[in-house]
Amino acid sequence: ILSNKLGTPLTDSVKVWGEDVYYKKGDSRNHLMAFASQSFFFDQFSFSFGGQFNHSNKFGDIWTWGADLSYDLYQHARPFVSVNRSFRLPTFTDLYYQGPTNIGNPNLKAEFATTYESGIKMDRNRLMAEVALFYRQGSDIIDWVKPANETVWTTVNYTKLNSWGANVNFSVNTKNLNIYTDRITLSYAFTESEKGKSELDSYYVLDYLRHCLTLSSQHTFKNLFLNWTIRYQDRNGEYLKYIDTNTSIPIAYSNVFLMDVRAGYVFKKVNIYFDVNNLFDNHYVDIANVNQPGRWFGLGINYRFDL
């Protein structure tokens, strides 16, 4: 990365292409990653496990792993359990950003999480369904914090964050019902989080989607297709709306309905499509105090090569 905000001072400044301005800061990361997995099948059981090694010139060696076990209870039902260890590296913003109300921390480490999940998957005729419960233990979570009586936020690795919830998904294949609909999908996700007690205020680790309900459908009319998705989002927490540099007021996140639509035409190997995201032009804040886009449009084309 080359920047005037993020990174460490460069020995020699780098000129911005097409401008009479120079980058004075920068940083880089080099990663080496290797992973392996193995699956076993015996009678009605299946078991798989794997591991991953990640070496970074900035953060050293990191090992992660995962395993899952499932059982063919009936012909179309499969209960399962799984456990996975994951990590997240700090962003350049977490490390280096310097502003009037935010100061990064170049000494941050990676954050880690162990997630336990259990549920059941069903696939029968036209119906696919999945119900799962999860519990996630996070450690060294990267968080922006500050004392209650101060105005400047900084990043630290101190937070422990535990989350639990459920995911439910139903999908019906309607392709042969002569209703110009290929598939209808309904999904719901619930999450609840709790972090360790602290005298410091937290900026965003408790800003998460508590409820997310999604309904989507795919339609086909000969060479034409129409896909749409409706989402209801209920975000936990609040964000700070700044009146000026030193004055802010807490605002609770508002619930929001969002609809995205894609229409297109398929001709042999060519797929031309038109997108409208946030069809109803709802204005909302998704996380921190960043306003999300209103209605926006996209046009694209795909071409399939046969090799």
Side-chain angles (χ1 to χ4, degrees):
I1 186 175
L2 293 172
S3 173
N4 279 326
K5 276 286 187 180
L6 308 178
T8 57
L10 297 172
T11 303
D12 297 311
S13 299
V14 178
K15 191 175 186 299
V16 179
W17 185 83
E19 300 288 341
D20 190 22
V21 180
Y22 289 82
Y23 295 118
K24 298 180 181 180
K25 294 183 178 181
D27 197 9
S28 64
R29 293 179 181 176
N30 297 319
H31 293 281
L32 173 66
M33 185 181 297
F35 64 91
S37 62
Q38 177 66 50
S39 297
F40 299 94
F41 302 91
F42 44 95
D43 295 331
Q44 294 170 284
F45 287 93
S46 64
F47 174 72
S48 63
F49 69 94
Q52 177 177 287
F53 169 76
N54 188 90
H55 173 77
S56 167
N57 63 324
K58 297 291 185 181
F59 302 98
D61 298 337
I62 297 175
W63 289 91
T64 53
W65 45 266
D68 65 81
L69 174 68
S70 63
Y71 176 73
D72 284 327
L73 181 63
Y74 297 108
Q75 185 177 2
H76 304 284
R78 177 183 288 267
F80 67 91
V81 292
S82 68
V83 57
N84 292 277
R85 178 74 166 171
S86 60
F87 75 97
R88 183 179 80 86
L89 297 179
T91 66
F92 289 123
T93 300
D94 294 330
L95 293 168
Y96 299 119
Y97 182 77
Q98 301 285 323
T101 59
N102 297 80
I103 298 177
N105 178 2
N107 298 315
L108 290 174
K109 303 177 296 182
E111 66 175 42
F112 292 89
T114 303
T115 302
Y116 308 88
E117 188 174 17
S118 178
I120 186 169
K121 297 179 181 180
M122 293 169 284
D123 187 355
R124 184 177 179 85
N125 298 328
R126 299 178 181 276
L127 176 65
M128 295 177 61
E130 179 177 351
V131 179
L133 303 174
F134 70 88
Y135 179 72
R136 181 179 184 269
Q137 291 179 306
S139 59
D140 287 331
I141 300 298
I142 299 168
D143 192 10
W144 291 83
V145 299
K146 70 175 183 66
N149 59 343
E150 295 188 9
T151 59
V152 178
W153 302 83
T154 189
T155 44
V156 292
N157 269 108
Y158 88 108
T159 305
K160 291 184 177 180
L161 183 69
N162 296 329
S163 304
W164 58 92
N167 295 299
V168 181
N169 185 77
F170 295 97
S171 182
V172 181
N173 186 338
T174 59
K175 196 167 186 177
N176 298 320
L177 298 182
N178 297 321
I179 58 174
Y180 299 105
T181 302
D182 296 340
R183 182 172 295 277
I184 299 174
T185 302
L186 177 66
S187 62
Y188 169 71
F190 167 77
T191 303
E192 188 69 51
S193 293
E194 181 181 34
K195 73 181 184 71
K197 293 182 179 180
S198 171
E199 296 179 356
L200 299 176
D201 292 340
S202 174
Y203 195 44
Y204 64 71
V205 296
L206 291 179
D207 294 352
Y208 56 88
L209 286 180
R210 173 173 281 146
H211 302 282
C212 183
L213 180 65
T214 304
L215 176 65
S216 62
S217 184
Q218 303 171 7
H219 308 270
T220 302
F221 311 90
K222 294 184 179 180
N223 287 46
L224 299 173
F225 67 89
L226 174 67
N227 302 334
W228 55 264
T229 300
I230 297 177
R231 296 192 310 279
Y232 168 76
Q233 296 182 176
D234 177 8
R235 181 171 291 277
N236 181 73
E238 57 188 21
Y239 64 96
L240 296 178
K241 183 176 181 180
Y242 283 89
I243 308 302
D244 53 46
T245 303
N246 298 316
T247 306
S248 63
I249 56 174
I251 302 293
Y253 291 104
S254 58
N255 303 338
V256 62
F257 279 97
L258 301 171
M259 185 172 185
D260 301 330
V261 178
R262 168 171 289 188
Y265 180 81
V266 179
F267 179 73
K268 294 183 179 179
K269 299 180 181 181
V270 179
N271 177 351
I272 303 173
Y273 59 89
F274 177 71
D275 290 337
V276 183
N277 292 324
N278 193 359
L279 180 66
F280 301 128
D281 196 28
N282 290 322
H283 297 277
Y284 66 104
V285 174
D286 197 45
I287 193 168
N289 51 4
V290 180
N291 288 312
Q292 298 303 297
R295 184 188 301 112
W296 59 285
F297 306 91
L299 180 65
I301 182 170
N302 293 329
Y303 182 86
R304 188 185 75 250
F305 292 92
D306 295 329
L307 301 178

